[in-house]
Amino acid sequence: MSSPQPTPVKKIPIHLQSSQSRLYIKRGQVVNHDSTFAADIYIEDGIIKWVGPSGEFVVPGGVRVIDAANRLILPGGIDPHTHMQLPFGGAVAVDDFYQGTKAAIAGGTTTIIDFVLPNKGQSLLEAYDQWRAWADPKVCCDYGLHVGVTWWSKSVRDEMRILCAERGVNSFKMFMAYKGLYQLDDSDLYDAFEACRDLGAVAQVHAENGSIIAKNAAKLLAAGVNGPEGHELSRSEEVEAEAVNRACIIAHQVKVPIYITRMTSKLAAETVARARLRGIIAYGEALAGAIGTNLHGIKPTQAIYYTTSPPIRADPEAPHFLLKTLASGHLQTTGSDNCTFNKEHKELGKKDFTKIPNGVNGVEDRMSVVWERGVEARILSPQKFVAITSTNAAKIFNMYPRKGRIAVGSDADIVVWNPEATRVISAKTHYQACDFNIFEGMKCHGVPEIVIVRGKVCVENGQVRVAEGQGQFIETPVYPSYVYKPLNGNSNGDEADNEDHENGDDKNGAIEELEIEIPPIEPITKYLAGPALSITSETKSTAQSITGANRAPRQDGQRNMQDSTFSLSEELDKTGPRATIKVRNPPGGKSTGFW
Ligand code: URQ
Ligand code: ZN
């Protein structure tokens, strides 16, 4: 089958080329993932040409000088998970590639990686060309593309090879949820993972058990539980964690690096940590929305607007736990999964939660939210912040050090960050197209005062100045060493991280001994009783009849293992408030795999 010609490399039209091609940033404090140092930076034609002590570089005439005294100089954020203008759930995401990337830049993110999502049966190459046609004329920052494997056949395998060899793709996402739309069964997951390994690509999953979700949703709807509370009730933490575990096991059997996208729960994060501690080459992304907010106390009338999958949880401890696992190095990135719909679109599902288009905002606020919840709260060091909002994504998807680092030769994607300044997030002032913001009213320390996109100053003095189409498609080569070296039992060349780890630079984060509290796995009934969704009494009794929560234990006092609410954790509960395991990374740093 002859593949359509690759999309020609885009030339930047002269009117979009920056008139200011030379910049000098002085007196700032550079923060990379592995080091923090005072330095000046000289930029020419979009590339960092010099980094060094103030006063050493003679600034040529006609160069614009930016004084960054008392500011941090960060690598531009990289958001590895966005869905601009995605057609989904009977609507189209309202942030398109222009407004969505403009908003990204406003928040300090200078590279996004979006998803090509073919319909079942559709050619992956055809879908890829569609996404390029949507994105290339509109993007304001550089972007990469992951490709969804939403169905399986030999032709899909063939097209994956062409996407890697000729279209600059190095990662594929398989869905374990969205039964009938994108979901693959275990056998197809196995084959798709094998294809990724044979190509040197990263296998990603959307980890939820879509078959359980379909069953739960049908039962809840049949019982008259059709409001937004049904969304989370149909896909609780363990339904997410089960898929996380299954994906790690299949990846381990196939010997491919696995990347779990946008996790929202403690149990999912803990599952990845356990897999990594067993030597499975797994990487995890935490959802920015699950770090910045939770559904505890959200009024039911508002819950519909927070609908995303996996759900943002009602568990008030989830944000802290996700940050702890990011700080400890067991999760690596933060993604926004930005897939925004307006209230009117979300309300399509007012009477049937399965009809609510899934997705929330995050691309604009991810950096400030992670800074506020992580660094301001002393859970993350500034270096770890850089790692999880930029560098790790660059390494995993093979853009590093072109992206994700302040260094000579790197793209001049730079944020002048004011850690003391604060801003209040609101849909009234955000640059995103959506009319709702899940972080509404949140006050964040950490403001991107100047954002430079490949050498062009796009944010300054509170103004965002971008040109539609100024961004470029970033080809991502296969065999990223960061994930493929450990697969072959070598270190991933990330000694610096270990140094960072050893010399205590990362005081607030990485710890030699990762203490994982095994939180009780709350049965579905937890949410029936909790204030989070303020279930009405009839919903509660109905849902309890579904979940059997009020079923009395059997005469012999034993809980019925078949009882849908039976949960091992309830036994754990009886053995004390919290079971914890202390695990020590093997001597010489984290496990590098044992296959
Ligand atoms: O599942 C995804 O990643 C897409 C469809 C965005 N929506 C969502 O709720 N995560
Ligand atoms: Zn997504």
Side-chain angles (χ1 to χ4, degrees):
M1 172 185 67
S2 68
S3 60
Q5 286 314 305
T7 316
V9 174
K10 181 171 79 174
K11 293 266 180 293
I12 299 283
I14 193 71
H15 72 283
L16 293 182
Q17 287 179 15
S18 160
S19 56
Q20 175 61 52
S21 68
R22 298 188 300 172
L23 282 175
Y24 189 80
I25 304 172
K26 68 178 185 179
R27 302 199 308 160
Q29 181 87 338
V30 171
V31 183
N32 280 319
H33 79 287
D34 56 0
S35 52
T36 302
F37 52 95
D40 288 9
I41 301 165
Y42 177 61
I43 297 157
E44 195 168 285
D45 298 332
I47 304 290
I48 296 173
K49 300 289 191 184
W50 184 85
V51 179
S54 275
E56 266 193 22
F57 186 88
V58 178
V59 183
V63 173
R64 179 177 170 191
V65 178
I66 293 171
D67 188 344
N70 305 314
R71 300 294 186 269
L72 303 179
I73 310 293
L74 310 180
I78 299 173
D79 189 338
H81 193 152
T82 62
H83 300 279
M84 303 308 178
Q85 63 190 85
L86 174 70
F88 189 74
V92 177
V94 292
D95 276 314
D96 66 2
F97 279 101
Y98 169 64
Q99 194 118 17
T101 51
K102 178 176 181 180
I105 292 167
T109 288
T110 55
T111 303
I112 65 166
I113 312 181
D114 206 275
F115 284 85
V116 176
L117 295 186
N119 299 315
K120 272 193 189 299
Q122 181 185 12
S123 153
L124 275 61
L125 283 169
E126 181 191 288
Y128 169 92
D129 289 341
Q130 174 60 77
W131 255 261
R132 289 294 306 270
W134 283 337
D136 283 348
K138 288 185 177 178
V139 285
C140 306
C141 69
D142 289 354
Y143 79 104
L145 286 175
H146 310 296
V147 177
V149 176
T150 55
W151 62 290
W152 186 250
S153 76
K154 185 184 173 312
S155 70
V156 169
R157 184 193 297 272
D158 293 344
E159 291 198 324
M160 288 170 73
R161 190 184 48 73
I162 294 167
L163 286 162
C164 291
E166 301 171 19
R167 298 291 197 280
V169 170
N170 73 359
S171 68
F172 296 92
K173 178 154 107 172
M174 282 56 78
F175 288 82
M176 303 170 81
Y178 302 131
K179 193 174 178 67
L181 179 65
Y182 297 146
Q183 183 176 327
L184 298 184
D185 67 20
D186 289 356
S187 174
D188 289 346
L189 286 172
Y190 190 104
D191 290 342
F193 283 15
E194 258 187 345
C196 289
R197 182 206 57 206
D198 295 348
L199 292 167
V202 179
Q204 297 189 52
V205 286
H206 174 123
E208 292 182 285
N209 187 314
S211 300
I212 291 177
I213 292 165
K215 288 287 188 187
N216 279 348
K219 276 171 74 173
L220 287 161
L221 289 174
V225 180
N226 49 27
E229 70 279 8
H231 180 74
E232 210 284 338
L233 287 173
S234 66
R235 48 210 315 154
S236 64
E237 284 193 48
E238 61 185 10
V239 177
E240 179 185 9
E242 181 280 332
V244 171
N245 187 59
R246 185 158 35 103
C248 290
I249 299 301
I250 298 173
H252 191 216
Q253 293 291 312
V254 167
K255 294 184 176 36
V256 69
I258 186 75
Y259 181 91
I260 313 289
T261 67
R262 52 123 323 137
M263 287 174 281
T264 60
S265 68
K266 289 192 287 192
L267 202 53
E270 186 225 314
T271 303
V272 170
R274 285 169 176 269
R276 286 171 56 89
L277 289 166
R278 280 185 52 222
I280 293 177
I281 308 303
Y283 300 88
E285 175 189 295
L287 182 75
I291 289 171
T293 185
N294 64 70
L295 286 188
H296 190 74
I298 295 287
K299 293 195 292 292
T301 54
Q302 296 294 298
I304 192 168
Y305 306 126
Y306 289 76
T307 311
T308 183
S309 296
I312 293 171
R313 302 294 173 185
D315 177 1
E317 293 173 8
H320 182 264
F321 192 89
L322 290 169
L323 283 162
K324 285 301 282 181
T325 32
L326 284 162
S328 66
H330 280 288
L331 297 188
Q332 287 70 36
T333 64
T334 53
S336 68
D337 198 4
N338 195 88
C339 187
T340 47
F341 298 97
N342 281 336
K343 290 182 174 181
E344 60 177 314
H345 303 126
K346 291 290 195 180
E347 287 157 11
L348 291 171
K350 213 156 49 174
K351 293 266 178 284
D352 174 351
F353 62 84
T354 64
K355 300 261 186 310
I356 304 171
N358 283 199
V360 291
N361 64 288
V363 77
E364 179 170 347
D365 300 314
R366 178 181 67 106
M367 302 274 279
S368 291
V369 162
V370 174
W371 185 274
E372 174 67 18
R373 291 282 189 263
V375 182
E376 192 63 20
R378 298 286 179 273
I379 300 171
L380 300 173
S381 67
Q383 289 176 199
K384 186 57 86 174
F385 172 82
V386 168
I388 66 172
T389 59
S390 179
T391 310
N392 288 350
K395 290 182 173 181
I396 293 168
F397 298 110
N398 221 0
M399 300 176 170
Y400 184 83
R402 176 183 174 188
K403 303 289 187 186
R405 190 172 186 81
I406 302 287
V408 172
S410 297
D411 285 357
D413 292 339
I414 297 172
V415 181
V416 177
W417 187 263
N418 184 341
E420 303 309 321
T422 60
R423 69 185 182 94
V424 177
I425 295 174
S426 173
K428 296 182 190 64
T429 53
H430 69 200
Y431 286 86
Q432 301 206 222
C434 46
D435 60 4
F436 184 81
N437 189 311
I438 59 171
F439 308 114
E440 187 68 35
M442 180 177 172
K443 181 178 177 183
C444 293
H445 290 81
V447 175
E449 289 184 336
I450 294 177
V451 181
I452 298 166
V453 180
R454 262 198 294 109
K456 186 172 184 295
V457 176
C458 294
V459 176
E460 61 177 332
N461 308 320
Q463 300 297 313
V464 179
R465 277 195 321 276
V466 293
E468 199 162 358
Q470 74 181 34
Q472 298 208 350
F473 176 68
I474 300 289
E475 303 215 343
T476 48
V478 293
Y479 287 108
S481 57
Y482 188 70
V483 299
Y484 268 91
K485 275 191 178 175
L487 196 74
N488 306 318
N490 310 317
S491 93
N492 58 20
D494 228 22
E495 284 69 30
D497 259 12
N498 298 333
E499 277 156 27
D500 168 12
H501 186 95
E502 276 140 21
N503 64 26
D505 266 9
D506 210 358
K507 287 184 277 308
N508 302 308
I511 44 175
E512 184 51 43
E513 194 171 82
L514 174 64
E515 182 173 319
I516 298 179
E517 283 193 348
I518 308 176
I521 302 171
E522 298 290 349
I524 196 170
T525 47
K526 168 186 171 183
Y527 300 104
L528 300 179
L533 297 166
S534 54
I535 297 280
T536 57
S537 54
E538 61 274 10
T539 314
K540 184 172 162 182
S541 59
T542 313
Q544 281 174 342
S545 68
I546 295 168
T547 59
N550 57 348
R551 226 174 272 152
R554 289 193 323 218
Q555 289 317 312
D556 58 9
Q558 289 303 314
R559 288 301 303 270
N560 167 5
M561 287 287 283
Q562 304 316 316
D563 181 325
S564 65
T565 59
F566 177 82
S567 150
L568 195 58
S569 69
E570 286 169 12
E571 300 314 304
L572 276 184
D573 269 349
K574 296 184 179 58
T575 58
R578 285 262 187 254
T580 63
I581 46 170
K582 282 184 185 294
V583 285
R584 181 177 288 282
N585 287 321
K590 298 183 181 74
S591 50
T592 53
F594 54 72
W595 39 40

